[in-house]
Amino acid sequence: MDKIEKNLLEEIADIHEVPEGAYNIRANGKLESRNTTANIDIVTKKDKPGIDIIIKPGTVNESVHIPVILSESGLKDLVYNDFYIGEGADVTIVAGCGIHNCGDQASEHDGIHTFYIEKDAKVRYIEKHYGEGDGKGDRILNPTTVVHIAEGGYMEMETVQIKGVSSTVRTTEADLSDGASLVIHEKIMTHGEQTAETNFTVDLNGVDSSANVISRSVAKEHSKQVFNSHINGNNKCYGHTECDAIIMDAGRVEAIPSLAANHIDASLIHEAAIGKIAGDQLIKLMTLGLTEKEAEEQIVNGFLK
Amino acid sequence: MDKIEKNLLEEIADIHEVPEGAYNIRANGKLESRNTTANIDIVTKKDKPGIDIIIKPGTVNESVHIPVILSESGLKDLVYNDFYIGEGADVTIVAGCGIHNCGDQASEHDGIHTFYIEKDAKVRYIEKHYGEGDGKGDRILNPTTVVHIAEGGYMEMETVQIKGVSSTVRTTEADLSDGASLVIHEKIMTHGEQTAETNFTVDLNGVDSSANVISRSVAKEHSKQVFNSHINGNNKCYGHTECDAIIMDAGRVEAIPSLAANHIDASLIHEAAIGKIAGDQLIKLMTLGLTEKEAEEQIVNGFLK
């Protein structure tokens, strides 16, 4: 790996060389390196590009890193990754994609991730998206995440896209069985002419299933974001969705969170607020000696922390 | 007017015989009676069914009643009513439609109301919809309200549909100029197999324009409701939308409020909560001696008050 690739890896997966535990590093559409453990197997798919990540029942305190990096301009990469999380496992999965594009052609990575979370299993899933490079070519990332959670299962998703992605359509679909829970924290910042679209669909099918979807976003300059979320309460369940957005410059944000209560014991709530940084917040920081630019930066960083 | 018609009038317009001030009573697709005043003129349209209500600039403390009643089964009534509210006027307009259907055929009233609210004018608009009668025929009410508010104008809408309307699609569109305000309070209760759909679209085009849309609804038995609202912040403006719904029995509610911030100084908020009556609220009232049914009724009445 060269310096550019190593930097991408650090940005998206906080790893410097080789991560601990199981990992699968994909660079420019090819396998770069892989490690499996006694409990975590990674198998290359035969029918299409992608891998199966198979985690044995009862596996705890282990992690899997599956970063993808693209440093060649004009590459379009598509992978199907399936995650089988055995009963009672408790693991951390770190995915993410970094694109360095200094050419004129678009670079694109579309990852379709499907999770099969078995009974009482717990997954913490972290996905970071990052783009860089001074080429004119777009950096496009369209992640699709499909989540099936069995009884008592739990998934926590943290998705972060802070910088450098020209266009993204982020689709997440989940269905939850009895007692299953899903927590999603999404953070997006767009600038320049970037566009970002988020689509969440959560089916709360099981008794006492719950979902909590929290999105925080910042749209700067001429960028545009759309936040869609659909929570369907099909049983005794609890659903909450929240979308808070800061607009700056000529940034635009649209929030369309829909709730459908299809069961008498479904309890659903959503909240959204879109606006610019409050003037008094800025003034407070500026009286402490910060310039307006620095004050804004500090508020945005705090908001997305 | 017979007893049935008089009762409908009372339900929708709180009037017993003849209202004070200007009025236009429409019964079974025909003009029943009309009164104009020095400041308020009512003119029958020549090109299509409906009336023009023309209110002189500066008219204050006056009211217009324009109730519509249908007691013949199988009637489909469509009217276009245009309201011209002169500069600086301050008036109350009471509309509404009552249907008594004891036949087998559907009775339907579709009212398309357009408001031209001039500079600094204020309008309080009350619209009640009500259905009754033991026939098998549906009672259908599809009101469309289009509102244009000039600089500094203000409109407050109170729409109520409590009982007896089989199916309704309620569409409201508004555009607001500088300093204009719109407040909407909607109350809907559905039961049986009834369906209700609400569509609000508000364009906040003017500097310091504001909209506050509050919807409270109760869906009982097998009824189904959909609440759509779109607030577009196209200037320095403030928008708030709130949808609270109680579901009972097998009632279903879907809330889809969308916010679009298209301007850096647009500040938009929405909130929605859907759920059944909280158990502890019921228990509290039942310890005071109410049956469960009575306690539910009291909570619903309070919620829709």
Side-chain angles (χ1 to χ4, degrees):
Chain A
M1 273 196 287
D2 60 21
K3 219 171 162 185
I4 286 172
E5 292 176 335
K6 281 185 187 166
N7 181 54
L8 287 175
L9 259 193
E10 197 172 331
E11 283 285 349
I12 61 165
D14 275 326
I15 49 181
H16 302 280
E17 199 88 16
V18 167
E20 275 186 49
Y23 64 83
N24 188 91
I25 301 174
R26 182 180 175 94
N28 293 314
K30 291 184 211 83
L31 175 64
E32 168 84 26
S33 60
R34 174 182 295 172
N35 188 49
T36 61
T37 69
N39 293 320
I40 302 178
D41 203 7
I42 300 175
V43 183
T44 303
K45 277 188 186 296
K46 287 185 181 122
D47 56 337
K48 52 188 172 185
I51 50 178
D52 288 334
I53 295 99
I54 301 150
I55 297 171
K56 278 193 189 158
T59 303
V60 292
N61 294 327
E62 288 204 43
S63 65
V64 192
H65 286 76
I66 53 156
V68 171
I69 53 181
L70 270 74
S71 57
E72 286 171 16
S73 183
L75 203 68
K76 185 173 168 168
D77 192 24
L78 167 69
V79 292
Y80 296 84
N81 296 338
D82 292 337
F83 302 79
Y84 299 90
I85 321 292
E87 194 175 322
D90 186 349
V91 293
T92 298
I93 297 168
V94 182
C97 180
I99 296 180
H100 180 96
N101 191 353
C102 48
D104 286 340
Q105 286 180 282
S107 295
E108 177 170 347
H109 176 74
D110 299 348
I112 293 148
H113 288 185
T114 306
F115 289 84
Y116 301 91
I117 301 175
E118 297 302 329
K119 220 181 138 197
D120 299 325
K122 279 186 189 171
V123 176
R124 184 165 174 243
Y125 177 63
I126 300 161
E127 188 185 80
K128 278 190 192 166
H129 286 165
Y130 170 74
E132 60 171 34
D134 46 15
K136 282 185 195 156
D138 280 338
R139 297 174 294 261
I140 303 166
L141 287 166
N142 295 327
T144 298
T145 310
V146 180
V147 180
H148 308 288
I149 312 183
E151 299 90 79
Y154 173 83
M155 182 167 187
E156 193 182 320
M157 273 178 77
E158 272 182 52
T159 64
V160 181
Q161 179 200 303
I162 295 295
K163 222 176 136 182
V165 178
S166 317
S167 124
T168 183
V169 178
R170 313 162 56 78
T171 303
T172 304
E173 291 167 15
D175 55 77
L176 280 70
S177 301
D178 293 355
S181 293
L182 175 65
V183 176
I184 299 176
H185 288 271
E186 179 190 63
K187 289 172 197 171
I188 298 186
M189 184 154 74
T190 52
H191 46 98
E193 302 291 327
Q194 298 175 354
T195 61
E197 181 183 323
T198 294
N199 302 301
F200 289 114
T201 306
V202 180
D203 286 307
L204 296 169
N205 297 330
V207 179
D208 292 323
S209 56
S210 71
N212 192 6
V213 178
I214 296 160
S215 167
R216 293 201 150 196
S217 67
V218 177
K220 289 183 176 180
E221 290 159 355
H222 285 83
S223 64
K224 191 165 188 302
Q225 299 185 15
V226 181
F227 172 83
N228 289 297
S229 80
H230 309 280
I231 299 217
N232 299 309
N234 302 323
N235 208 325
K236 177 171 185 284
C237 64
Y238 175 78
H240 174 252
T241 152
E242 190 180 321
C243 167
D244 289 321
I246 290 179
I247 47 175
M248 297 169 77
D249 314 311
R252 290 165 63 175
V253 172
E254 192 169 356
I256 313 164
S258 91
L259 300 178
N262 301 319
H263 189 281
I264 174 74
D265 292 312
S267 175
L268 306 176
I269 293 173
H270 68 61
E271 303 158 74
I274 308 175
K276 65 172 180 177
I277 295 170
D280 51 352
Q281 268 191 295
L282 279 179
I283 289 161
K284 200 190 286 174
L285 288 171
M286 284 162 74
T287 55
L288 297 175
L290 273 63
T291 64
E292 192 178 341
K293 202 87 198 150
E294 288 167 342
E296 275 186 1
E297 216 174 281
Q298 189 149 331
I299 290 165
V300 165
N301 287 345
F303 180 71
L304 292 177
K305 213 179 75 177
Chain B
M1 273 196 287
D2 61 19
K3 218 171 164 185
I4 286 173
E5 293 175 336
K6 282 185 186 166
N7 180 53
L8 287 175
L9 259 193
E10 197 174 331
E11 284 285 349
I12 60 165
D14 277 327
I15 49 181
H16 301 279
E17 198 87 15
V18 166
E20 275 186 50
Y23 63 84
N24 188 93
I25 301 174
R26 183 181 174 91
N28 294 314
K30 289 184 215 84
L31 175 64
E32 169 82 27
S33 59
R34 174 181 296 171
N35 187 47
T36 61
T37 70
N39 294 318
I40 302 177
D41 203 8
I42 301 176
V43 183
T44 302
K45 277 186 187 298
K46 287 187 180 121
D47 55 337
K48 51 189 174 185
I51 50 178
D52 289 334
I53 295 100
I54 302 150
I55 297 172
K56 278 194 190 157
T59 303
V60 293
N61 294 327
E62 288 205 42
S63 65
V64 191
H65 286 76
I66 52 157
V68 171
I69 52 182
L70 271 73
S71 58
E72 285 173 18
S73 184
L75 203 67
K76 185 173 171 170
D77 192 23
L78 167 69
V79 292
Y80 296 84
N81 296 340
D82 292 338
F83 303 78
Y84 299 89
I85 321 292
E87 196 176 320
D90 186 348
V91 292
T92 298
I93 298 169
V94 181
C97 181
I99 297 180
H100 181 97
N101 191 351
C102 49
D104 286 340
Q105 286 179 283
S107 295
E108 178 171 345
H109 176 75
D110 299 349
I112 294 146
H113 288 187
T114 305
F115 289 83
Y116 301 91
I117 300 175
E118 296 304 330
K119 221 182 137 198
D120 299 325
K122 280 188 187 170
V123 177
R124 185 164 174 242
Y125 177 63
I126 301 162
E127 187 186 79
K128 279 190 191 164
H129 285 166
Y130 170 75
E132 60 171 35
D134 44 15
K136 282 184 193 156
D138 279 339
R139 296 174 295 263
I140 304 166
L141 286 167
N142 296 328
T144 298
T145 310
V146 180
V147 180
H148 308 288
I149 312 183
E151 300 90 76
Y154 173 83
M155 182 168 185
E156 194 182 319
M157 275 178 76
E158 273 182 51
T159 64
V160 181
Q161 180 200 303
I162 295 297
K163 221 175 134 182
V165 178
S166 316
S167 125
T168 183
V169 177
R170 310 162 57 77
T171 302
T172 303
E173 291 166 15
D175 54 79
L176 279 70
S177 301
D178 294 355
S181 294
L182 175 65
V183 175
I184 300 176
H185 287 270
E186 179 192 62
K187 291 172 194 172
I188 298 185
M189 183 155 74
T190 51
H191 46 98
E193 303 290 328
Q194 296 175 356
T195 61
E197 182 183 322
T198 293
N199 302 302
F200 289 114
T201 305
V202 180
D203 287 307
L204 296 170
N205 297 330
V207 179
D208 293 324
S209 56
S210 71
N212 191 6
V213 178
I214 296 160
S215 167
R216 294 200 149 197
S217 67
V218 177
K220 290 183 174 179
E221 292 161 352
H222 284 84
S223 64
K224 191 164 186 305
Q225 297 184 17
V226 180
F227 171 83
N228 289 298
S229 79
H230 309 279
I231 299 217
N232 299 310
N234 302 324
N235 208 325
K236 178 171 184 286
C237 64
Y238 175 78
H240 174 252
T241 151
E242 190 180 321
C243 167
D244 289 320
I246 291 179
I247 46 174
M248 296 169 78
D249 314 310
R252 290 165 63 177
V253 172
E254 193 169 355
I256 313 164
S258 91
L259 298 179
N262 301 320
H263 190 280
I264 174 72
D265 292 311
S267 174
L268 306 176
I269 293 173
H270 69 61
E271 305 158 70
I274 308 175
K276 64 172 180 178
I277 295 170
D280 52 354
Q281 268 190 293
L282 279 179
I283 288 160
K284 201 189 287 175
L285 288 171
M286 285 161 74
T287 56
L288 298 174
L290 273 63
T291 64
E292 191 178 342
K293 202 86 197 152
E294 289 166 342
E296 274 185 0
E297 217 175 279
Q298 189 149 332
I299 290 164
V300 165
N301 287 345
F303 180 71
L304 291 178
K305 215 179 73 178

